Amino acid sequence: EVSTDDPETAFCTLANREELNPEEDSIHHCLYQFTRNETLTETNKLLCDVCTQRHCGPKNNIKSEKKYVYTNAKKQMLISLAPPILTLHLKRFQQAGFNLQKVNRHIKFPEVIDLAPFCTAKCKNVAEGNTKVLYSLYGVVEHSGTMRSGHYTAYVKMRAMNNHLSDLVLRGQSQALETEPVKGQWFHISDTHVQPVSVSKVLSSQAYLLFYERLL
């Protein structure tokens, strides 16, 4: 669906993304690339209903004449509704000839992440004037092995109940909270084995799935 928006704000974000300068092999760089502004030209031109109607007249004539009008366009994917729980799924495979190959390099990820540079300026559940949309890490899934076989383990933070998160899920309400990571003890879980670990151990893991809960 193509929606008409004010050209001045259509590609604006809650926070200035151009000041990010994200480090390569980081989750910020992944998000920056995923939400970058793209130009659609040549074979990627956009089918424009308005231009087609101008050229062909009323809609009922379009199909019979088959004179569709395509135009150059700009495209950008931004977050329009900040979720209570943010789940990030990293693509850990790449094409190698006719085969798929696992990507094993480490992707840096923070304890607290700000989604504001990746949210539309009119993000629905962010209070007016807010320039931060903060999330705290509480879970990581890691995969060891190859594309054919391997083992999944998880890191989970045991923490106090987040009443703010409940309000967000049930009523969609948002309010200012602490901007520090939610306090708690991290555990590494592998089948029936559970052991406490440090946050540095968690942040050095080869993340496959990342789970964040909304702070602000």
Side-chain angles (χ1 to χ4, degrees):
E1 180 182 348
V2 179
S3 60
T4 304
D5 208 341
D6 182 354
E8 296 297 321
T9 60
F11 297 93
C12 293
T13 49
L14 281 175
N16 189 353
R17 58 189 282 114
E18 300 311 320
E19 294 179 358
L20 271 181
N21 193 23
E23 185 180 356
E24 271 200 65
D25 292 339
S26 70
I27 202 70
H28 286 99
H29 188 259
C30 294
L31 287 167
Y32 186 86
Q33 289 294 100
F34 188 76
T35 59
R36 74 187 187 278
N37 196 318
E38 299 176 62
T39 303
L40 306 179
T41 59
E42 298 179 355
T43 56
N44 290 322
K45 282 184 177 180
L46 183 74
L47 171 58
C48 179
D49 288 336
V50 175
C51 302
T52 301
Q53 286 182 43
R54 282 177 186 161
H55 183 73
C56 302
K59 281 187 176 180
N60 55 1
N61 294 332
I62 294 175
K63 287 187 179 179
S64 58
E65 296 184 17
K66 294 184 180 178
K67 294 180 180 177
Y68 300 106
V69 178
Y70 294 82
T71 183
N72 292 336
K74 286 197 298 183
K75 166 193 163 187
Q76 187 174 30
M77 295 179 68
L78 295 171
I79 297 166
S80 63
L81 184 71
I85 298 296
L86 173 68
T87 305
L88 299 176
H89 183 184
L90 279 70
K91 181 181 176 183
R92 285 211 167 269
F93 62 89
Q94 62 185 7
Q95 195 76 31
F98 294 103
N99 299 313
L100 287 176
Q101 187 178 61
K102 187 182 173 188
V103 177
N104 286 308
R105 70 176 179 270
H106 177 65
I107 301 297
K108 294 179 182 177
F109 54 95
E111 268 194 276
V112 173
I113 190 168
D114 184 5
L115 276 195
F118 317 111
C119 291
T120 174
K122 296 181 180 178
C123 199
K124 296 183 181 72
N125 58 347
V126 176
E128 190 174 348
N130 274 13
T131 56
K132 288 185 179 295
V133 184
L134 301 180
Y135 288 81
S136 178
L137 183 72
Y138 75 91
V140 180
V141 172
E142 185 177 42
H143 178 269
S144 58
T146 66
M147 291 292 296
R148 294 184 177 273
S149 65
H151 181 58
Y152 289 95
T153 59
Y155 294 92
V156 179
K157 181 190 279 189
M158 189 176 73
R159 62 219 186 279
M161 181 175 159
N162 187 340
N163 292 323
H164 167 65
L165 197 60
S166 301
D167 290 339
L168 238 133
V169 172
L170 298 174
R171 290 181 280 278
Q173 296 173 347
S174 177
Q175 60 187 27
L177 284 185
E178 295 295 325
T179 57
E180 297 297 319
V182 175
K183 293 179 180 178
Q185 173 63 55
W186 281 96
F187 291 89
H188 183 235
I189 303 168
S190 178
D191 294 333
T192 59
H193 301 284
V194 180
Q195 62 178 3
V197 292
S198 64
V199 66
S200 60
K201 173 72 174 172
V202 176
L203 296 179
S204 64
S205 64
Q206 297 273 42
Y208 179 55
L209 289 166
L210 294 167
F211 299 90
Y212 288 87
E213 59 185 332
R214 182 123 172 234
L215 285 177
L216 184 66

